[in-house]
Amino acid sequence: MRMRRVAASLSTLGLLAAGAVVATAGTAQAAPACKGYSTYASGSATLYKPTTTNGSRNTNCLLSSGAGYNGGQQSMAVGYLQTSLNRCFGAGLAIDGMYGQATVNAVKTVQRVKGLPADGVFGPQTSKYMNWAKMGGSGCTSGGRP
């Protein structure tokens, strides 16, 4: 009888642990794709950042390899990201709105410079610490480090 209780307890602990892992992984994948962009004032200039939808100001979203390739429709969010990568980090990307390998590599470079895990996926942490091009002005913001 005691062995059954021990086995049941271990089984319950195993399920709880597995559930915690699944919940953690699910949370990491829960951020939606950045489908739009939002504007932010920076002195006399404007910043354009990828967000969940146009004007939402919700930067809890992801851009990764393949974004902008849906039926050949370029992504404005990717285009604004590419503009900042070029101006603030010297990436030399074509501003084509397509999150291809060159954009992945440029994001990895930014992530390394900023002390973030370099996975090439643009997400909330990369957005928070990245330098952004000042449109209608010159220069870039200083994104800081974690």
Side-chain angles (χ1 to χ4, degrees), residues 112-139:
R112 281 191 289 275
V113 165
K114 294 298 184 171
L116 300 168
D119 61 4
V121 175
F122 175 86
Q125 289 298 307
T126 305
S127 180
K128 180 177 180 178
Y129 295 110
M130 189 169 144
N131 302 8
W132 291 96
K134 294 181 178 180
M135 306 297 199
S138 62

Side-chain angles (χ1 to χ4, degrees), residues 22-96:
V22 170
T24 302
T27 302
Q29 299 301 317
C34 300
K35 300 270 188 195
Y37 65 92
S38 295
T39 59
Y40 300 81
S42 178
S44 62
T46 303
L47 311 178
Y48 291 79
K49 296 183 181 183
T51 53
T52 54
T53 57
N54 286 339
S56 71
R57 293 181 158 249
N58 182 352
T59 58
N60 187 29
C61 58
L62 304 173
L63 287 171
S64 60
S65 185
Y69 287 90
N70 303 338
Q73 294 184 339
Q74 291 111 345
S75 165
M76 294 289 291
V78 174
Y80 287 126
L81 172 62
Q82 290 169 330
T83 298
S84 286
L85 290 167
N86 284 348
R87 187 181 298 175
C88 305
F89 297 95
L93 300 169
I95 310 297
D96 61 5

